Structures are given as structure tokens and as C-alpha cells.
Amino acid sequence: DQQVKQNSPSLSVQEGRISILNCDYTNSMFDYFLWYKKYPAEGPTFLISISSIKDKNEDGRFTVFLNKSAKHLSLHIVPSQPGDSAVYFCAASFGTSYGKLTFGQGTILTVHP
Amino acid sequence: KAGVTQTPRYLIKTRGQQVTLSCSPISGHRSVSWYQQTPGQGLQFLFEYFSETQRNKGNFPGRFSGRQFSNSRSEMNVSTLELGDSALYLCASSRIAGGGDTQYFGPGTRLTVL
């Protein structure tokens, strides 16, 4: 039972354009969501997070949107840069999950110069 | 502030052996979680420790175990290694691992079982 899903295995974007990565979840107990960026053979790097009491959070070029009724979140990267090329994971947790992040399968983002 | 460190970075073992991996969390972080990443299963939660106590455990066999020391450093052990245990093992730390707490990951230990 995959509780967090990233349905797009890959996304290709031109430099300077917007990248939109999507994530769906099924467990209504999730109340904290995170996005991580990962290069092969390295650990995930934290990008941005959002609590379920908000519907938007911004940090520089990164914005995360949360639609609780649709159980959907998205990560917007504007403008996209070639250095953003990596695998992006969304993850979710809830208050008593004690250190357990549930991850999606990841989306490979490629930004072309 | 130093990040999460993991040792060793690479390890090669043979079936039937056991292995111990080490993780040092960010200073001030008391929670350490462990994950296994494989191409087929993605990132899966192994267990979490806080103040030397295991608070949560994922769906892995008993061959996978861990512990945490009073300085918050953690080790995980895998006994009787199987080929399927080949994976990237990641450690993450956070302040309390409660609601709204962000986990920060180390670089991982790449374990290859031959």
C-alpha cells in the first residue's frame, strides 16, 4: 500500500522555465510534508516543507502548495536551472509517527540549458 | 554546524556475515532514523531512536537492529547478510522527530553483499 505517490517518474524542462513536481497521498493522518532533492549515491538534501495548517510555503525559487481536500501537493521551481537536475522525493509524516517519513518513489528532473 | 556523518561510506561483505554501520547526528539533535534505499523498493524506514529508546520500527526482519548511545550517536546492525540487503543505508537526524520536525540526512553507507 503506497501511501505517498509520485506518478511522474521523470520531467524534462528548459532552463528558465517553471518545473512542477506533483505528489499525492492517501493517509489523512499526514500533517507534515517535505521535499528532498537527491543525487545518486548521496543522501537526500532537504529543500522545503509545509505543515497541514498552511496551503503554501515559499523559500527562494521553491514553493510548495498543499491541497488537503485533494490530498495533493506540488513543488514549483522558478526559474529552473541546470543544477536543479536531480531526483526529487516528497515525504510525509504525522505527529506520532516518531521519525518515520513515508517517501514517494521520486521524480527525475532534467533541466536542459 | 556539521551535518550528519555516516561511516563507513562503502562496505563489501559476503552472505552470512554481519555488519555494523555508524551515524553521528547533527549537534543538538536527539532523534536518529535509519532508512534503506533500493532501486526496487525506494526509501524505506527501518527504525527510529530517541534518548536511547527505539520509538518506531519499520517492516524489516529481526536481522536488522539498532541502538543509540547517550551522546545520540547511533549504530545499526544487520546479521546473517543476504544478497537482497545490498542497498544504500541512510541515517537522518532531527531535534525531536515529533510533528513538524525536519529530518536531515547523512551521505549514506553503500553496502554490497556478495
Side-chain angles (χ1 to χ4, degrees):
Chain A
D1 174 31
Q2 200 172 343
Q3 297 185 27
V4 178
K5 295 181 185 179
Q6 294 175 255
N7 291 318
S8 299
S10 63
L11 175 67
S12 183
V13 170
Q14 207 66 30
E15 181 179 6
R17 299 289 186 103
I18 184 172
S19 294
I20 300 176
L21 298 112
N22 295 302
C23 181
D24 297 298
Y25 62 96
T26 57
N27 189 341
S28 56
M29 288 185 66
F30 288 140
D31 59 12
Y32 190 60
F33 304 89
L34 310 93
W35 284 94
Y36 288 88
K37 171 182 176 180
K38 188 179 184 300
Y39 296 111
E42 293 184 10
T45 299
F46 169 71
L47 286 173
I48 192 168
S49 62
I50 188 166
S51 163
S52 60
I53 62 173
K54 294 185 173 182
D55 53 22
K56 178 182 173 182
N57 189 28
E58 282 182 85
D59 185 1
R61 296 186 299 115
F62 302 93
T63 302
V64 56
F65 295 91
L66 175 62
N67 183 332
K68 289 186 288 295
S69 60
K71 293 191 175 69
H72 176 84
L73 64 153
S74 61
L75 174 68
H76 293 210
I77 306 173
V78 184
S80 301
Q81 300 172 353
D84 295 329
S85 298
V87 181
Y88 287 76
F89 290 93
C90 67
S93 69
F94 53 88
T96 55
S97 60
Y98 295 131
K100 179 180 179 179
L101 289 177
T102 302
F103 283 87
Q105 291 297 99
T107 297
I108 302 170
L109 173 65
T110 304
V111 180
H112 299 282
Chain B
K1 198 183 228 185
V4 178
T5 58
Q6 292 186 246
T7 55
R9 291 294 311 278
Y10 303 92
L11 208 47
I12 299 175
K13 292 286 187 178
T14 55
R15 279 182 300 174
Q17 286 187 309
Q18 76 165 20
V19 67
T20 299
L21 312 181
S22 181
C23 172
S24 292
I26 292 170
S27 177
H29 285 192
R30 296 171 63 190
S31 168
V32 174
S33 297
W34 289 89
Y35 295 84
Q36 179 196 67
Q37 185 185 25
T38 58
Q41 299 298 319
L43 277 151
Q44 292 194 294
F45 172 76
L46 281 156
F47 30 66
E48 186 260 3
Y49 287 87
F50 180 84
S51 292
E52 301 177 67
T53 300
Q54 185 184 89
R55 295 193 300 181
N56 201 356
K57 189 177 191 306
N59 190 24
F60 279 83
R63 299 185 298 106
F64 291 82
S65 63
R67 59 178 176 168
Q68 188 182 34
F69 302 95
S70 58
N71 62 358
S72 295
R73 191 177 69 84
S74 176
E75 290 181 346
M76 69 163 279
N77 185 76
V78 188
S79 62
T80 320
L81 284 165
E82 299 177 358
L83 295 178
D85 297 333
S86 294
L88 180 66
Y89 289 88
L90 293 159
C91 156
S93 78
S94 62
R95 288 176 299 116
I96 57 172
D101 198 20
T102 297
Q103 291 185 25
Y104 296 90
F105 284 81
T109 294
R110 168 68 63 183
L111 172 64
T112 302
V113 182
L114 302 176

